[in-house]
Amino acid sequence: MSDAEEKTNDFSPYRFSVAPMMDWTDRYCRSFHRVLSRRARLYTEMVTSNAVLHGDRTRLLGFSAREHPVAVQLGGSVPSDLAKAARIAEGFGYDEINLNVGCPSDRVQDGRFGACLMRDPILVGECVAAMKAAISVPVTVKCRIGVDDQDTEVALDSLVDAVTQAGVDGLIVHARKAWLQGLSPKENRDVPPLDYGRVARLKQKRPSLPIAINGGIATIDDTLTQLTVVDGVMMGRAAYNEPALLLDVDHLIFGEAGPVADAFEAVEAFAPTIAEALGNGIRLHTLTRHMLGLFNGRPGARAYRRHLSTFGTRADADLSTLREAVAQVSKEGPGGSAAVQAA
């Protein structure tokens, strides 16, 4: 195998990632997740190309070097604007630029981007080609298997044909349709049925294209099962609501030692980041809101969450507030994988 072929078939960067989630995967969430796993690929919340071009770029795109590997997700449908935004994002140091072709919200439909682009694969290909011509880091696409009454066999293949011709470096497929009429964005995360088989068939057709699957994957066991079929798994709400899941990623998915032994050690490893943020005027709750599910399944988890929800929101809350909350959690009981019910 040539060096070029080996690079093309290197799927490891996409083997496990945490999904871009609006209002959740901000820089503090990503910094916390990085404490739990060195290898998980992290994604920003979606930011529109228009916001990047005309907004506060430091606020929108700034991140810590400790977050690598980290990708930015862009939303938009004007190839030239996406190319400019991608070039700006690359300048901030992101490892990947991802194009959103899956979000079903009214706002993105009004802006003619997100999931509605599933209806215009040629335009998506033009967007990818423009970004590829503008930057040197990988360009990927996150999509659905179709929208509304589309035939998912035709719709997904048409999109993949277009982006492959444009040189896309990888595809992340949420294995559900998006219903743009009749369902809310929240309902679109659960109501349309999952069709993992459709993604598996796509992978069989496109063996050399890195393909990751997203949607309904809740445990490391689920992840390992999917990795026998596709190249990568993107986990969303489960990783956010049960962040201790990420403690097992490096060992069980990548065969490497993780950065911390357990959730208690993770808190202390994250403490310097919290202290730095507090010193910059950021309130404790801005960081600890991403940590509320960390001890789910352990005795005392409810008391931990209650303490942070009650005292962590106060203006004078600091690291001692967090440590007081942690002190209420028993070190006896389940650890590591968080595929258990909250205590």
Side-chain angles (χ1 to χ4, degrees):
M1 181 181 291
S2 70
D3 290 344
E5 289 172 330
E6 186 172 358
K7 182 177 180 181
T8 299
N9 293 314
D10 180 12
F11 303 141
S12 60
Y14 308 101
R15 191 163 172 79
F16 184 89
S17 59
V18 179
M21 292 175 279
M22 292 300 293
D23 301 320
W24 285 6
T25 52
D26 62 21
R27 68 185 69 185
Y28 301 116
C29 174
R30 299 192 305 269
S31 291
F32 173 53
H33 286 175
R34 182 57 68 220
V35 165
L36 302 169
S37 167
R38 293 190 186 94
R39 294 297 303 273
R41 199 168 186 87
L42 306 178
Y43 284 74
T44 70
E45 304 166 88
M46 183 190 71
V47 57
T48 68
S49 56
N50 189 59
V52 172
L53 296 180
H54 305 291
D56 183 343
R57 295 171 184 173
T58 299
R59 180 181 63 81
L60 293 167
L61 296 175
F63 70 98
S64 168
R66 67 175 69 94
E67 296 174 37
H68 289 293
V70 59
V72 61
Q73 186 181 69
L74 295 179
S77 60
V78 179
S80 59
D81 287 352
L82 282 165
K84 293 172 187 174
R87 190 180 300 114
I88 292 166
E90 181 183 39
F92 273 79
Y94 283 98
D95 300 294
E96 171 194 333
I97 311 297
N98 177 261
L99 178 63
N100 185 320
V101 188
C103 181
S105 76
D106 293 339
R107 184 169 69 89
V108 301
Q109 290 183 61
D110 291 341
R112 196 168 172 253
F113 58 94
C116 63
L117 285 175
M118 293 293 300
R119 296 195 185 107
D120 197 344
I122 292 175
L123 176 58
V124 178
E126 291 171 352
C127 292
V128 170
M131 290 190 287
K132 287 288 295 180
I135 61 176
S136 59
V137 299
V139 174
T140 62
V141 167
K142 186 173 188 291
C143 66
R144 295 282 183 133
I145 59 175
V147 296
D148 297 335
D149 57 356
Q150 282 185 323
D151 180 332
T152 60
E153 298 297 325
V154 175
L156 187 56
D157 280 354
S158 296
L159 182 79
V160 175
D161 286 344
V163 299
T164 301
Q165 291 173 14
V168 77
D169 294 289
L171 193 71
I172 303 154
V173 185
H174 187 154
R176 286 187 174 94
K177 272 190 173 184
W179 286 96
L180 303 180
Q181 303 296 325
L183 292 182
S184 70
K186 182 179 180 181
E187 290 170 329
N188 262 298
R189 293 195 291 266
D190 294 301
V191 173
L194 286 161
D195 188 354
Y196 293 145
R198 178 64 188 96
V199 186
R201 291 192 296 278
L202 176 66
K203 182 59 196 175
Q204 290 171 351
K205 287 184 178 180
R206 300 282 183 173
S208 64
L209 176 66
I211 297 175
I213 195 166
N214 170 236
I217 298 165
T219 69
I220 298 299
D221 284 345
D222 290 346
T223 298
L224 293 171
T225 297
Q226 290 293 341
L227 287 174
T228 65
V229 180
V230 293
D231 306 303
V233 166
M234 175 176 276
M235 187 180 287
R237 285 167 291 164
Y240 186 87
N241 292 324
E242 305 278 357
L245 277 169
L246 300 178
L247 290 167
D248 288 336
V249 166
D250 292 14
H251 172 57
L252 295 180
I253 297 176
F254 292 96
E256 301 175 3
V260 294
D262 58 25
F264 296 96
E265 190 174 317
V267 172
E268 291 308 312
F270 194 44
T273 300
I274 295 175
E276 178 184 352
L278 293 173
N280 290 329
I282 305 299
R283 289 196 174 190
L284 181 71
H285 176 68
T286 301
L287 291 90
T288 58
R289 71 187 184 98
H290 304 302
M291 305 172 67
L292 291 175
L294 180 61
F295 293 101
N296 285 357
R298 288 186 180 273
R302 184 174 287 110
Y304 161 82
R305 294 192 301 270
R306 183 169 57 246
H307 190 91
L308 282 182
S309 298
T310 302
F311 300 104
T313 56
R314 296 181 176 179
D316 60 349
D318 58 17
L319 271 171
S320 67
T321 309
L322 172 60
R323 291 184 171 123
E324 288 163 1
V326 173
Q328 302 188 54
V329 182
S330 172
K331 293 191 176 182
E332 301 298 324
S337 178
V340 291
Q341 296 299 311

